[in-house]
Amino acid sequence: DESPQIMADHYENNMYHQTHNEGYSMYGGAGQDGYAYQSDILPQEEDAASDATEGHDEEDQMYEGEYQGIPHPDEVKAARRAARAKARAAADAASEQEELAEQYEDIMEDCGHGRFQWTLFVVLGLALMADSVECFVVSFVLPSAEKDMCLSNAEKGMLGLIVFLGMMLGAFVWGGLADKVGRRKCLIVALTINCVSAFLSSFAQGYGFFLFFRLFSGMGIGGAVPIVYSYFSEFLQMDKRGEHLSWICMFWMMGGIYASFTAWGVIPRYGWGFSMGTEFQFHSWRVFVLVCALPAIASVVGLMFMPESPRFLLEHAKHDEAWMILKQVHDTNWRAKGEPERVFTVAQIKTPKTQEDEFIEIQSATGTTFQRWLVRTVTLAKLVNPDAITGFSALRSFSYYGLSVWFPDMIKHLQNEEYDSKLKVFHREQVKHFHFNFSLENQVHKEGEYVNDKFINIEMKHVKFEDSLFEDCYFEDIRSTQTFFENCTLRNILFYNTDFERKIFIDCQLENVTFHQNKRGCHLDSEEENDVLVYLVSFLGSLAVLPGNIISALFMDKIGRSKMIGGSMLISAGCTFFLFLSFSQASIIAWQCLFCGVSVAAWNGIEVITVELYPASKRATAFGVLNALCKLAAIMGSSIFASFVGITKVIPILLSFAALVGGGLLALKLPETREKVLQ
């Protein structure tokens, strides 16, 4: 059957008449490269209607920019292909990887950008949204969880860092596996681990189990960022890559908004929980933990209907599977645009020769397990170390996450200062035969005498008794927080159904004191402990990145990646100096919103340039290593910045300024990748 060859010759003749002065090189027939790329249709802008659909000839169509000197999109696309063809022809010996990259870009241009990419955009966006939600879960549940589990300050600090530790490990592991096993498969497994761990953590009653499950939850979701961007980028053509990789970043913002609104609506609803005796408590904050897993669940369901990355399959010599997926992308897009007659005409796709994997070489080498692991780690480190992207990514994470912790901690510190300023102090009060049926809050009682008094069904919040005498008193149904007795004398006292523990009686003399049916755990769970301001700050911070997201998406391909990153970081550095003017909660919230809005463009640029700098065979691995380093920097920044809250704000501001300036200057040295074919 000679029809395919006749069709190819006809196509080449048509293209020759249009571009005979441009040296356009076609993928026609089985040439030197060992693959064929044929088409019987001229390249068209994906949004343009076909001649057959419109019902008139090409000569009758008029391009609206013809008289304005604006080149037709088809001409631009043809010129790009011609330039790439010239580059291939000029090269003495182009590598197989470069040949595959060039051909793959041409195929993605013919597949167009349409329904398939937008469907994948939503599915992967939900995975990115789940990553964002994971960063907020612990901070929102901590005020309630610490009461349920009676957490110390050290335990609360560990719980806050364990998520980042898990995400750091997860990014390292899943990034490497995604280049060996597949993007889709690894993302499904990683998100499933996150969902299962989140579910189990919501039912964990003890601190140890809750910490363990949150660690695994973080390890699961840690693979989301490196896989999502690697996966999505391999379905995008060059002129769509920067814009749409930036648009997908908006799902991170949506995750923060979702977590804030959900926490606001669920956690204060104390009636939503249940209990089974005193050993099993399922309060509303545990319901919130379950609800936070919904984006990950939705993403897993969506991924079941998505194919593997064809670029990954080609890297692993799975030509037929890749061809079928590319045909699916092509047909889905053009059918949705009303052009079902378009035929996917790629006959054969170049696949690189299978090379022995360096990890297999490591495993087969002699030496101990530790030595092989060390070689693997060094190999991965070398993969990302030469690039400035390593330095500015770490500096960016150090300052961003450090300030992200510092902002809410400073607000809380200001709240505590305001609260302490309203402290009531009582000296030498004498109370006899009195029934306390009202709550005590933010008080200090010094050298008082309480004889034959009753304290029944009340709350004691931030109350301290110093050098006081309690005699023949009765305490029943008491809920307390930060309540202490110091250097007091207690005689003939009965504590019935209270949560007073021995440790709150500091240097006290206890004579004939009885604790009957003492409550176990921390039971003060009042609405005031879940300050609405916490949710509001998170919501405003997440919403503030919307303008930055839109600007970065619209101008990423116009300004360039390195300029976008460097400019955003340097402007963010300037914004940090406004923090010296922050003396109130409102001002801190305002500067937080400004900082988040300006700095998000740098984040978007980092994600885009990372997928463009590394080849497909190492893309997810390199992204995972970089993401792991970012999480390590985040742990360091969070710990360092939090330690200066209430002491000084000069050091956090100067540290963030230096990190942002250093990172911004490094970013400007990065190569520009917006016109680079995805390797």
Side-chain angles (χ1 to χ4, degrees), residues 248-389:
I248 203 173
C249 292
M250 294 188 69
F251 278 91
W252 215 93
M253 172 200 73
M254 293 169 61
I257 295 175
Y258 173 81
S260 304
F261 263 117
T262 306
W264 196 346
V266 173
I267 294 180
R269 311 294 180 183
Y270 308 110
W272 287 13
F274 64 91
S275 61
M276 299 174 61
T278 58
E279 298 298 326
F280 186 87
Q281 304 286 334
F282 195 90
H283 292 146
S284 56
W285 67 267
R286 298 180 183 274
V287 178
F288 168 72
V289 173
L290 288 177
V291 174
C292 284
L294 292 181
I297 295 173
S299 182
V300 170
V301 173
L303 284 167
M304 295 297 180
F305 301 94
M306 292 291 106
E308 181 55 82
S309 164
R311 186 58 189 273
F312 166 80
L313 295 173
L314 291 173
E315 291 292 333
H316 289 74
K318 297 181 180 180
H319 172 277
D320 294 341
E321 293 180 44
W323 187 90
M324 290 297 294
I325 293 171
L326 289 170
K327 184 179 185 301
Q328 175 189 350
V329 176
H330 177 278
D331 294 347
T332 300
N333 287 341
W334 290 113
R335 277 198 303 267
K337 294 174 182 178
E339 300 186 39
E341 73 279 359
R342 282 195 180 243
V343 180
F344 185 62
T345 56
V346 176
Q348 186 177 352
I349 308 174
K350 183 70 179 178
T351 52
K353 294 180 180 179
T354 304
Q355 299 178 352
E356 185 177 12
D357 189 274
E358 55 192 271
F359 286 170
I360 297 178
E361 294 178 359
I362 295 171
Q363 292 172 354
S364 61
T366 57
T368 64
T369 303
F370 175 76
Q371 289 174 328
R372 292 196 294 270
W373 174 85
L374 185 62
V375 171
R376 178 179 301 201
T377 304
V378 171
T379 302
L380 292 176
K382 288 180 179 179
L383 185 64
V384 297
N385 184 56
D387 299 305
I389 191 172

